[in-house]
Amino acid sequence: MELVLFKDLLDDDAEPQYGLLEDRDEPSVVCLCCGSEVEFGDYEIIERLPWQDFSSAVKQSKKSKYVVCMDSSWVRDSQMLDTSGLTDSEFNDVMDSDNDNFYRDMEPNPFIAIIEAASEDEACQKAAEQKRYDKRCLFAIKI
């Protein structure tokens, strides 16, 4: 995921907004202002920003928001590829080789959405409806 300044191309009057660019082939952007998701091709990236600017970006979006995540109690068999000991060459080739011995168990809190809401409970409810998760498996943190 990457912090970006972007413009929604579907709204002629849209002003640049801060968002989180997903890390996938056709990424959508989650707007920090309203929590909505702007699909791939419907936005223009104006600037890619360092994570140190996240707090400032949230404050500038001027609305009360919650980060909603899946409680790790409801996630099973999460592993991540541990690349800490790899050289650059090994890192670039890691997906082309047998790498089962590089996977390590992890305790995730998977990011679900950024939601504008009046309470943590409402943020979880909105995220559950938008993303089709059970609200009881989610938690929210006001940002």
PDB file of all heavy atoms in Angstrom, residues 1-4 19-30 37-38 40 43 45 48 51 91 95 111:
ATOM      1  N   MET A   1       0.842  -1.163   0.000  1.00  0.00           N
ATOM      2  CA  MET A   1       0.000   0.000   0.000  1.00  0.00           C
ATOM      3  C   MET A   1       0.889   1.230   0.000  1.00  0.00           C
ATOM      4  O   MET A   1       1.957   1.220   0.580  1.00  0.00           O
ATOM      5  CB  MET A   1      -0.898  -0.045   1.235  1.00  0.00           C
ATOM      6  CG  MET A   1      -2.130   0.765   1.027  1.00  0.00           C
ATOM      7  SD  MET A   1      -3.496   0.350   2.113  1.00  0.00           S
ATOM      8  CE  MET A   1      -4.200  -1.033   1.283  1.00  0.00           C
ATOM      9  N   GLU A   2       0.407   2.273  -0.654  1.00  0.00           N
ATOM     10  CA  GLU A   2       1.208   3.476  -0.823  1.00  0.00           C
ATOM     11  C   GLU A   2       0.340   4.706  -0.586  1.00  0.00           C
ATOM     12  O   GLU A   2      -0.824   4.737  -0.980  1.00  0.00           O
ATOM     13  CB  GLU A   2       1.747   3.467  -2.253  1.00  0.00           C
ATOM     14  CG  GLU A   2       2.805   4.460  -2.547  1.00  0.00           C
ATOM     15  CD  GLU A   2       3.372   4.276  -3.949  1.00  0.00           C
ATOM     16  OE1 GLU A   2       2.982   3.330  -4.663  1.00  0.00           O
ATOM     17  OE2 GLU A   2       4.190   5.107  -4.340  1.00  0.00           O
ATOM     18  N   LEU A   3       0.881   5.723   0.066  1.00  0.00           N
ATOM     19  CA  LEU A   3       0.189   6.983   0.296  1.00  0.00           C
ATOM     20  C   LEU A   3       0.338   7.852  -0.949  1.00  0.00           C
ATOM     21  O   LEU A   3       1.451   8.046  -1.442  1.00  0.00           O
ATOM     22  CB  LEU A   3       0.777   7.693   1.514  1.00  0.00           C
ATOM     23  CG  LEU A   3       0.165   9.030   1.899  1.00  0.00           C
ATOM     24  CD1 LEU A   3      -1.298   8.861   2.293  1.00  0.00           C
ATOM     25  CD2 LEU A   3       0.950   9.643   3.053  1.00  0.00           C
ATOM     26  N   VAL A   4      -0.806   8.373  -1.465  1.00  0.00           N
ATOM     27  CA  VAL A   4      -0.777   9.175  -2.690  1.00  0.00           C
ATOM     28  C   VAL A   4      -1.701  10.382  -2.581  1.00  0.00           C
ATOM     29  O   VAL A   4      -2.638  10.402  -1.789  1.00  0.00           O
ATOM     30  CB  VAL A   4      -1.206   8.345  -3.931  1.00  0.00           C
ATOM     31  CG1 VAL A   4      -0.217   7.235  -4.224  1.00  0.00           C
ATOM     32  CG2 VAL A   4      -2.607   7.804  -3.786  1.00  0.00           C
ATOM     33  N   GLY A  19      -4.990   9.537  -0.491  1.00  0.00           N
ATOM     34  CA  GLY A  19      -5.541   8.196  -0.476  1.00  0.00           C
ATOM     35  C   GLY A  19      -4.471   7.143  -0.315  1.00  0.00           C
ATOM     36  O   GLY A  19      -3.278   7.434  -0.317  1.00  0.00           O
ATOM     37  N   LEU A  20      -4.934   5.900  -0.183  1.00  0.00           N
ATOM     38  CA  LEU A  20      -4.054   4.743  -0.075  1.00  0.00           C
ATOM     39  C   LEU A  20      -4.190   3.926  -1.353  1.00  0.00           C
ATOM     40  O   LEU A  20      -5.280   3.442  -1.674  1.00  0.00           O
ATOM     41  CB  LEU A  20      -4.436   3.896   1.136  1.00  0.00           C
ATOM     42  CG  LEU A  20      -4.307   4.583   2.487  1.00  0.00           C
ATOM     43  CD1 LEU A  20      -4.836   3.691   3.599  1.00  0.00           C
ATOM     44  CD2 LEU A  20      -2.869   4.977   2.758  1.00  0.00           C
ATOM     45  N   LEU A  21      -3.098   3.792  -2.075  1.00  0.00           N
ATOM     46  CA  LEU A  21      -3.060   3.035  -3.323  1.00  0.00           C
ATOM     47  C   LEU A  21      -2.755   1.589  -2.986  1.00  0.00           C
ATOM     48  O   LEU A  21      -1.739   1.287  -2.362  1.00  0.00           O
ATOM     49  CB  LEU A  21      -1.985   3.607  -4.254  1.00  0.00           C
ATOM     50  CG  LEU A  21      -1.807   2.940  -5.605  1.00  0.00           C
ATOM     51  CD1 LEU A  21      -3.050   3.142  -6.473  1.00  0.00           C
ATOM     52  CD2 LEU A  21      -0.576   3.504  -6.309  1.00  0.00           C
ATOM     53  N   GLU A  22      -3.651   0.688  -3.392  1.00  0.00           N
ATOM     54  CA  GLU A  22      -3.467  -0.731  -3.109  1.00  0.00           C
ATOM     55  C   GLU A  22      -2.295  -1.291  -3.895  1.00  0.00           C
ATOM     56  O   GLU A  22      -1.938  -0.780  -4.943  1.00  0.00           O
ATOM     57  CB  GLU A  22      -4.744  -1.501  -3.445  1.00  0.00           C
ATOM     58  CG  GLU A  22      -5.911  -1.105  -2.577  1.00  0.00           C
ATOM     59  CD  GLU A  22      -7.182  -1.832  -2.954  1.00  0.00           C
ATOM     60  OE1 GLU A  22      -7.350  -2.188  -4.133  1.00  0.00           O
ATOM     61  OE2 GLU A  22      -7.999  -2.045  -2.047  1.00  0.00           O
ATOM     62  N   ASP A  23      -1.720  -2.359  -3.367  1.00  0.00           N
ATOM     63  CA  ASP A  23      -0.566  -3.001  -3.982  1.00  0.00           C
ATOM     64  C   ASP A  23      -1.025  -4.247  -4.739  1.00  0.00           C
ATOM     65  O   ASP A  23      -0.989  -5.352  -4.213  1.00  0.00           O
ATOM     66  CB  ASP A  23       0.450  -3.371  -2.898  1.00  0.00           C
ATOM     67  CG  ASP A  23       1.743  -3.887  -3.464  1.00  0.00           C
ATOM     68  OD1 ASP A  23       2.006  -3.654  -4.648  1.00  0.00           O
ATOM     69  OD2 ASP A  23       2.486  -4.540  -2.711  1.00  0.00           O
ATOM     70  N   ARG A  24      -1.529  -4.034  -5.967  1.00  0.00           N
ATOM     71  CA  ARG A  24      -1.955  -5.139  -6.835  1.00  0.00           C
ATOM     72  C   ARG A  24      -1.884  -4.678  -8.285  1.00  0.00           C
ATOM     73  O   ARG A  24      -1.606  -3.520  -8.558  1.00  0.00           O
ATOM     74  CB  ARG A  24      -3.340  -5.658  -6.456  1.00  0.00           C
ATOM     75  CG  ARG A  24      -4.431  -4.621  -6.431  1.00  0.00           C
ATOM     76  CD  ARG A  24      -5.728  -5.252  -5.914  1.00  0.00           C
ATOM     77  NE  ARG A  24      -6.685  -4.206  -5.667  1.00  0.00           N
ATOM     78  CZ  ARG A  24      -7.869  -4.135  -6.230  1.00  0.00           C
ATOM     79  NH1 ARG A  24      -8.271  -5.064  -7.053  1.00  0.00           N
ATOM     80  NH2 ARG A  24      -8.689  -3.149  -5.958  1.00  0.00           N
ATOM     81  N   ASP A  25      -2.155  -5.577  -9.223  1.00  0.00           N
ATOM     82  CA  ASP A  25      -1.987  -5.268 -10.641  1.00  0.00           C
ATOM     83  C   ASP A  25      -2.838  -4.099 -11.120  1.00  0.00           C
ATOM     84  O   ASP A  25      -2.374  -3.252 -11.860  1.00  0.00           O
ATOM     85  CB  ASP A  25      -2.296  -6.498 -11.505  1.00  0.00           C
ATOM     86  CG  ASP A  25      -1.216  -7.557 -11.394  1.00  0.00           C
ATOM     87  OD1 ASP A  25      -0.093  -7.213 -10.968  1.00  0.00           O
ATOM     88  OD2 ASP A  25      -1.496  -8.715 -11.720  1.00  0.00           O
ATOM     89  N   GLU A  26      -4.103  -4.054 -10.754  1.00  0.00           N
ATOM     90  CA  GLU A  26      -4.990  -2.960 -11.137  1.00  0.00           C
ATOM     91  C   GLU A  26      -5.529  -2.330  -9.853  1.00  0.00           C
ATOM     92  O   GLU A  26      -6.673  -2.558  -9.462  1.00  0.00           O
ATOM     93  CB  GLU A  26      -6.114  -3.463 -12.035  1.00  0.00           C
ATOM     94  CG  GLU A  26      -5.606  -3.954 -13.375  1.00  0.00           C
ATOM     95  CD  GLU A  26      -6.735  -4.329 -14.327  1.00  0.00           C
ATOM     96  OE1 GLU A  26      -7.902  -4.395 -13.909  1.00  0.00           O
ATOM     97  OE2 GLU A  26      -6.420  -4.549 -15.502  1.00  0.00           O
ATOM     98  N   PRO A  27      -4.698  -1.516  -9.184  1.00  0.00           N
ATOM     99  CA  PRO A  27      -5.040  -1.028  -7.847  1.00  0.00           C
ATOM    100  C   PRO A  27      -6.140   0.022  -7.848  1.00  0.00           C
ATOM    101  O   PRO A  27      -6.233   0.847  -8.748  1.00  0.00           O
ATOM    102  CB  PRO A  27      -3.725  -0.430  -7.355  1.00  0.00           C
ATOM    103  CG  PRO A  27      -3.031   0.003  -8.597  1.00  0.00           C
ATOM    104  CD  PRO A  27      -3.409  -1.027  -9.638  1.00  0.00           C
ATOM    105  N   SER A  28      -6.962  -0.038  -6.817  1.00  0.00           N
ATOM    106  CA  SER A  28      -7.900   1.045  -6.567  1.00  0.00           C
ATOM    107  C   SER A  28      -7.251   1.937  -5.507  1.00  0.00           C
ATOM    108  O   SER A  28      -6.251   1.577  -4.899  1.00  0.00           O
ATOM    109  CB  SER A  28      -9.251   0.506  -6.106  1.00  0.00           C
ATOM    110  OG  SER A  28      -9.111  -0.289  -4.972  1.00  0.00           O
ATOM    111  N   VAL A  29      -7.825   3.120  -5.306  1.00  0.00           N
ATOM    112  CA  VAL A  29      -7.347   4.048  -4.291  1.00  0.00           C
ATOM    113  C   VAL A  29      -8.458   4.208  -3.256  1.00  0.00           C
ATOM    114  O   VAL A  29      -9.613   4.433  -3.612  1.00  0.00           O
ATOM    115  CB  VAL A  29      -7.000   5.430  -4.895  1.00  0.00           C
ATOM    116  CG1 VAL A  29      -6.668   6.433  -3.812  1.00  0.00           C
ATOM    117  CG2 VAL A  29      -5.847   5.324  -5.865  1.00  0.00           C
ATOM    118  N   VAL A  30      -8.106   4.077  -1.975  1.00  0.00           N
ATOM    119  CA  VAL A  30      -9.059   4.316  -0.897  1.00  0.00           C
ATOM    120  C   VAL A  30      -8.848   5.750  -0.440  1.00  0.00           C
ATOM    121  O   VAL A  30      -7.769   6.123   0.012  1.00  0.00           O
ATOM    122  CB  VAL A  30      -8.846   3.339   0.284  1.00  0.00           C
ATOM    123  CG1 VAL A  30      -9.811   3.651   1.408  1.00  0.00           C
ATOM    124  CG2 VAL A  30      -8.987   1.907  -0.186  1.00  0.00           C
ATOM    125  N   GLU A  37     -13.806   3.910  -2.355  1.00  0.00           N
ATOM    126  CA  GLU A  37     -12.795   3.260  -3.173  1.00  0.00           C
ATOM    127  C   GLU A  37     -12.951   3.761  -4.609  1.00  0.00           C
ATOM    128  O   GLU A  37     -14.033   3.700  -5.177  1.00  0.00           O
ATOM    129  CB  GLU A  37     -13.017   1.749  -3.106  1.00  0.00           C
ATOM    130  CG  GLU A  37     -11.825   0.946  -3.489  1.00  0.00           C
ATOM    131  CD  GLU A  37     -12.018  -0.532  -3.158  1.00  0.00           C
ATOM    132  OE1 GLU A  37     -12.411  -0.853  -2.032  1.00  0.00           O
ATOM    133  OE2 GLU A  37     -11.772  -1.339  -4.062  1.00  0.00           O
ATOM    134  N   VAL A  38     -11.869   4.265  -5.183  1.00  0.00           N
ATOM    135  CA  VAL A  38     -11.878   4.729  -6.566  1.00  0.00           C
ATOM    136  C   VAL A  38     -11.172   3.662  -7.395  1.00  0.00           C
ATOM    137  O   VAL A  38     -10.016   3.344  -7.155  1.00  0.00           O
ATOM    138  CB  VAL A  38     -11.179   6.105  -6.707  1.00  0.00           C
ATOM    139  CG1 VAL A  38     -11.248   6.600  -8.142  1.00  0.00           C
ATOM    140  CG2 VAL A  38     -11.796   7.125  -5.754  1.00  0.00           C
ATOM    141  N   PHE A  40      -9.484   1.328 -10.393  1.00  0.00           N
ATOM    142  CA  PHE A  40      -8.362   1.476 -11.318  1.00  0.00           C
ATOM    143  C   PHE A  40      -8.850   2.135 -12.615  1.00  0.00           C
ATOM    144  O   PHE A  40      -9.877   1.763 -13.164  1.00  0.00           O
ATOM    145  CB  PHE A  40      -7.760   0.102 -11.619  1.00  0.00           C
ATOM    146  CG  PHE A  40      -6.602   0.141 -12.574  1.00  0.00           C
ATOM    147  CD1 PHE A  40      -5.369   0.613 -12.170  1.00  0.00           C
ATOM    148  CD2 PHE A  40      -6.762  -0.276 -13.885  1.00  0.00           C
ATOM    149  CE1 PHE A  40      -4.295   0.650 -13.043  1.00  0.00           C
ATOM    150  CE2 PHE A  40      -5.699  -0.244 -14.770  1.00  0.00           C
ATOM    151  CZ  PHE A  40      -4.469   0.228 -14.344  1.00  0.00           C
ATOM    152  N   TYR A  43      -8.839   7.294 -11.632  1.00  0.00           N
ATOM    153  CA  TYR A  43      -8.101   8.288 -10.867  1.00  0.00           C
ATOM    154  C   TYR A  43      -6.786   8.619 -11.568  1.00  0.00           C
ATOM    155  O   TYR A  43      -6.312   7.869 -12.413  1.00  0.00           O
ATOM    156  CB  TYR A  43      -7.810   7.795  -9.444  1.00  0.00           C
ATOM    157  CG  TYR A  43      -7.005   6.518  -9.403  1.00  0.00           C
ATOM    158  CD1 TYR A  43      -5.620   6.537  -9.528  1.00  0.00           C
ATOM    159  CD2 TYR A  43      -7.638   5.289  -9.254  1.00  0.00           C
ATOM    160  CE1 TYR A  43      -4.885   5.361  -9.508  1.00  0.00           C
ATOM    161  CE2 TYR A  43      -6.910   4.113  -9.232  1.00  0.00           C
ATOM    162  CZ  TYR A  43      -5.545   4.154  -9.367  1.00  0.00           C
ATOM    163  OH  TYR A  43      -4.815   2.997  -9.353  1.00  0.00           O
ATOM    164  N   ILE A  45      -2.903   9.758 -10.387  1.00  0.00           N
ATOM    165  CA  ILE A  45      -1.965   9.962  -9.283  1.00  0.00           C
ATOM    166  C   ILE A  45      -1.220  11.270  -9.542  1.00  0.00           C
ATOM    167  O   ILE A  45      -0.565  11.427 -10.573  1.00  0.00           O
ATOM    168  CB  ILE A  45      -0.953   8.800  -9.168  1.00  0.00           C
ATOM    169  CG1 ILE A  45      -1.667   7.468  -8.943  1.00  0.00           C
ATOM    170  CG2 ILE A  45       0.066   9.082  -8.056  1.00  0.00           C
ATOM    171  CD1 ILE A  45      -2.419   7.357  -7.659  1.00  0.00           C
ATOM    172  N   ARG A  48       3.185  10.694  -5.293  1.00  0.00           N
ATOM    173  CA  ARG A  48       3.393   9.584  -4.357  1.00  0.00           C
ATOM    174  C   ARG A  48       4.123  10.162  -3.150  1.00  0.00           C
ATOM    175  O   ARG A  48       5.114  10.868  -3.315  1.00  0.00           O
ATOM    176  CB  ARG A  48       4.202   8.472  -5.016  1.00  0.00           C
ATOM    177  CG  ARG A  48       3.441   7.844  -6.168  1.00  0.00           C
ATOM    178  CD  ARG A  48       4.282   6.835  -6.940  1.00  0.00           C
ATOM    179  NE  ARG A  48       3.606   6.380  -8.117  1.00  0.00           N
ATOM    180  CZ  ARG A  48       2.749   5.368  -8.169  1.00  0.00           C
ATOM    181  NH1 ARG A  48       2.473   4.688  -7.084  1.00  0.00           N
ATOM    182  NH2 ARG A  48       2.166   5.027  -9.296  1.00  0.00           N
ATOM    183  N   TRP A  51       5.453   7.667   3.812  1.00  0.00           N
ATOM    184  CA  TRP A  51       4.541   7.342   4.911  1.00  0.00           C
ATOM    185  C   TRP A  51       4.630   8.346   6.057  1.00  0.00           C
ATOM    186  O   TRP A  51       3.688   8.495   6.825  1.00  0.00           O
ATOM    187  CB  TRP A  51       4.805   5.927   5.419  1.00  0.00           C
ATOM    188  CG  TRP A  51       4.156   4.910   4.547  1.00  0.00           C
ATOM    189  CD1 TRP A  51       4.769   4.063   3.674  1.00  0.00           C
ATOM    190  CD2 TRP A  51       2.756   4.643   4.424  1.00  0.00           C
ATOM    191  NE1 TRP A  51       3.831   3.293   3.011  1.00  0.00           N
ATOM    192  CE2 TRP A  51       2.597   3.627   3.456  1.00  0.00           C
ATOM    193  CE3 TRP A  51       1.621   5.165   5.031  1.00  0.00           C
ATOM    194  CZ2 TRP A  51       1.361   3.133   3.094  1.00  0.00           C
ATOM    195  CZ3 TRP A  51       0.381   4.659   4.666  1.00  0.00           C
ATOM    196  CH2 TRP A  51       0.262   3.660   3.713  1.00  0.00           C
ATOM    197  N   PHE A  91      16.340 -11.773  -3.706  1.00  0.00           N
ATOM    198  CA  PHE A  91      15.025 -11.162  -3.529  1.00  0.00           C
ATOM    199  C   PHE A  91      14.272 -11.098  -4.855  1.00  0.00           C
ATOM    200  O   PHE A  91      13.086 -11.422  -4.930  1.00  0.00           O
ATOM    201  CB  PHE A  91      15.157  -9.766  -2.927  1.00  0.00           C
ATOM    202  CG  PHE A  91      13.845  -9.058  -2.740  1.00  0.00           C
ATOM    203  CD1 PHE A  91      13.064  -9.316  -1.625  1.00  0.00           C
ATOM    204  CD2 PHE A  91      13.383  -8.149  -3.680  1.00  0.00           C
ATOM    205  CE1 PHE A  91      11.842  -8.677  -1.448  1.00  0.00           C
ATOM    206  CE2 PHE A  91      12.171  -7.509  -3.515  1.00  0.00           C
ATOM    207  CZ  PHE A  91      11.401  -7.769  -2.389  1.00  0.00           C
ATOM    208  N   MET A  95      10.378 -15.480  -6.138  1.00  0.00           N
ATOM    209  CA  MET A  95       9.120 -16.071  -6.607  1.00  0.00           C
ATOM    210  C   MET A  95       9.350 -17.137  -7.681  1.00  0.00           C
ATOM    211  O   MET A  95       8.447 -17.899  -7.997  1.00  0.00           O
ATOM    212  CB  MET A  95       8.179 -14.994  -7.145  1.00  0.00           C
ATOM    213  CG  MET A  95       7.652 -14.094  -6.075  1.00  0.00           C
ATOM    214  SD  MET A  95       6.785 -15.062  -4.819  1.00  0.00           S
ATOM    215  CE  MET A  95       6.575 -13.869  -3.559  1.00  0.00           C
ATOM    216  N   PHE A 111      -6.064  -4.785   6.872  1.00  0.00           N
ATOM    217  CA  PHE A 111      -6.753  -3.537   6.588  1.00  0.00           C
ATOM    218  C   PHE A 111      -7.997  -3.830   5.761  1.00  0.00           C
ATOM    219  O   PHE A 111      -7.948  -4.556   4.783  1.00  0.00           O
ATOM    220  CB  PHE A 111      -5.802  -2.609   5.814  1.00  0.00           C
ATOM    221  CG  PHE A 111      -6.469  -1.388   5.260  1.00  0.00           C
ATOM    222  CD1 PHE A 111      -6.722  -0.301   6.070  1.00  0.00           C
ATOM    223  CD2 PHE A 111      -6.849  -1.334   3.923  1.00  0.00           C
ATOM    224  CE1 PHE A 111      -7.337   0.828   5.558  1.00  0.00           C
ATOM    225  CE2 PHE A 111      -7.458  -0.218   3.408  1.00  0.00           C
ATOM    226  CZ  PHE A 111      -7.707   0.872   4.227  1.00  0.00           C
TER     227      PHE A 111
END
